[in-house]
Amino acid sequence: MEYQQVGRQSRRRRSTSLVLGVCVVILLIIIGVSVAVALSRRNCADSNDSDLRTVIITKCKTYLAAHEEESSDNNCEEIWMAFAGAFVGRDSCDVPVEAYDPLVRAVSEKPACNRMLFWSKTKDIVHQFTESKKCLVTLEDTLLGFVMNDLTWCSKNNSSETFTTGCPGWIECEKNPVRSFWNRASAAFAESACGDVTAMLNGSIATPFNVNSIFASVEVKKFDPSRMRALNVVLVTRGNDTVTCDNSSLQRLREAIDPKLRYSCREVPRSKILDCISDPEKPCGDCW
């Protein structure tokens, strides 16, 4: 009997020890997983911040190397700091347009008088054209436009982190950091417009001059007749398009600009522009 009782007690102790051991192992696993997840998130955030900074500064230096004479006064580190200062630590839906004022002031670049090209709903063909011909310059061909083009960024309220994924989309909230940047950069580009200015608009849609577009809501309002002489519209059309330069939205465009500015509009087949793009010997003046 005594032997049996001692045996039972021994088995109970072993069972208790086994259960405690299993619990300790499970607890250690939980702690280990939690620490790993936390470190992973931190490393991801740090990587995002590091990657975004690297991309911005690399693109900035690439641009400056290609435009050394026009942009020698710019400092890519200062541009990064001004850029980060606009949105880091802010809620991703509460970055106002004016937050990018210091960034715009941090950049020194002469306007390309008589060569500035604005666009609306013609992004692909416009950039094919400027890449091929180099005779006209869009916002995306300037330092700020080139650096920020095709990038996404945001931060969080009271955070020093930056993110390139999980950021609000263009229409998700009005004051998202990407939308506010392009509104501010577009305003600055339009304010600097000088001489004869070109706008390439889409003749395949019912309203080539859409009041909700950046061109209509921001850029046209910033045109300065003391710097500009004329606005020349190139209406890009396809074979079966019925939209012409008499379109009512284009009449609104004509009324929206200062009466001191000359206005012209020309319907140009998309195929003609593409042919011009593919022919490096054809001068820009023959493209429309």
Side-chain angles (χ1 to χ4, degrees), residues 133-148:
K133 292 300 180 184
K134 309 295 184 183
C135 54
L136 295 177
V137 175
T138 67
L139 170 56
E140 293 80 7
D141 299 311
T142 66
L143 175 54
L144 279 183
F146 174 83
V147 171
M148 306 305 171

Side-chain angles (χ1 to χ4, degrees), residues 60 72 84 88 139 160 168 171 179 209 219 234 236 240 248 262 285:
C60 176
S72 58
V88 173
L139 170 56
S160 61
I171 62 173
R179 181 170 176 173
F209 182 65
E219 293 170 332
V234 175
V236 183
N240 297 322
S248 59
R262 296 196 308 273

Side-chain angles (χ1 to χ4, degrees), residues 25 31 42 44 57 69 101 115 142 164 178-179 186 192 206 283:
V25 170
I31 293 173
R42 180 177 177 181
C44 182
I57 291 180
E69 293 183 3
D101 286 353
R115 299 174 54 221
T142 66
T164 55
V178 175
R179 181 170 176 173
S186 296
S192 69

Side-chain angles (χ1 to χ4, degrees), residues 16-281:
T16 301
S17 298
L18 180 61
V19 171
L20 288 173
V22 170
C23 289
V24 169
V25 170
I26 292 174
L27 181 60
L28 290 173
I29 290 174
I30 292 173
I31 293 173
V33 169
S34 299
V35 171
V37 169
L39 288 174
S40 175
R41 287 176 177 171
R42 180 177 177 181
N43 289 338
C44 182
D46 291 345
S47 176
N48 252 335
D49 179 51
S50 176
D51 288 348
L52 179 60
R53 180 181 179 280
T54 299
V55 169
I56 295 291
I57 291 180
T58 299
K59 292 184 74 175
C60 176
K61 290 181 177 179
T62 299
Y63 182 92
L64 295 183
H67 302 79
E68 188 172 356
E69 293 183 3
E70 303 98 323
S71 306
S72 58
D73 295 332
N74 291 287
N75 183 300
C76 293
E77 290 285 351
E78 291 178 1
I79 289 172
W80 160 255
M81 293 301 294
F83 169 69
F87 73 97
V88 173
R90 291 179 180 264
D91 184 280
S92 59
C93 281
D94 191 25
V95 179
V97 171
E98 57 269 21
Y100 289 100
D101 286 353
L103 174 61
V104 171
R105 290 195 296 268
V107 173
S108 174
E109 194 165 21
K110 293 180 180 179
C113 293
N114 299 310
R115 299 174 54 221
M116 299 177 78
L117 174 60
F118 294 81
W119 57 270
S120 183
K121 302 296 184 183
T122 52
K123 180 178 181 179
D124 290 344
I125 193 167
V126 159
H127 291 131
Q128 287 179 52
F129 182 85
T130 58
E131 176 65 24
S132 170
K133 292 300 180 184
K134 309 295 184 183
C135 54
L136 295 177
V137 175
T138 67
L139 170 56
E140 293 80 7
D141 299 311
T142 66
L143 175 54
L144 279 183
F146 174 83
V147 171
M148 306 305 171
N149 195 30
D150 294 329
L151 298 183
T152 298
W153 63 88
C154 63
S155 184
K156 292 181 179 179
N157 197 34
N158 298 321
S159 171
S160 61
E161 298 173 343
T162 62
F163 306 95
T164 55
T165 58
C167 300
W170 185 268
I171 62 173
E172 194 170 334
C173 52
E174 185 176 353
K175 294 182 181 179
N176 75 68
V178 175
R179 181 170 176 173
S180 289
F181 165 77
W182 285 110
N183 280 332
R184 182 64 186 92
S186 296
F189 187 62
E191 285 171 346
S192 69
C194 46
D196 291 348
V197 170
T198 304
M200 195 176 290
L201 306 182
N202 192 337
S204 297
I205 57 178
T207 53
F209 182 65
N210 188 317
V211 294
N212 296 317
S213 67
I214 288 183
F215 179 60
S217 64
V218 176
E219 293 170 332
V220 167
K221 295 178 179 180
K222 297 294 183 179
F223 287 160
D224 182 354
S226 68
R227 296 173 57 85
M228 278 178 60
R229 283 192 302 268
L231 175 64
N232 304 311
V233 173
V234 175
L235 187 64
V236 183
T237 62
R238 295 177 186 265
N240 297 322
D241 289 342
T242 58
V243 173
T244 68
C245 286
D246 294 327
N247 182 269
S248 59
S249 74
L250 295 176
Q251 295 306 309
R252 288 192 292 272
L253 168 58
R254 187 168 190 172
E255 294 167 2
I257 64 174
D258 192 284
K260 298 185 185 71
L261 297 177
R262 296 196 308 273
Y263 172 87
S264 69
C265 178
R266 180 179 297 185
E267 300 148 21
V268 182
R270 179 184 176 88
S271 58
K272 181 177 181 179
I273 298 175
L274 291 175
D275 287 344
C276 189
I277 290 171
S278 63
D279 185 355
E281 301 301 322

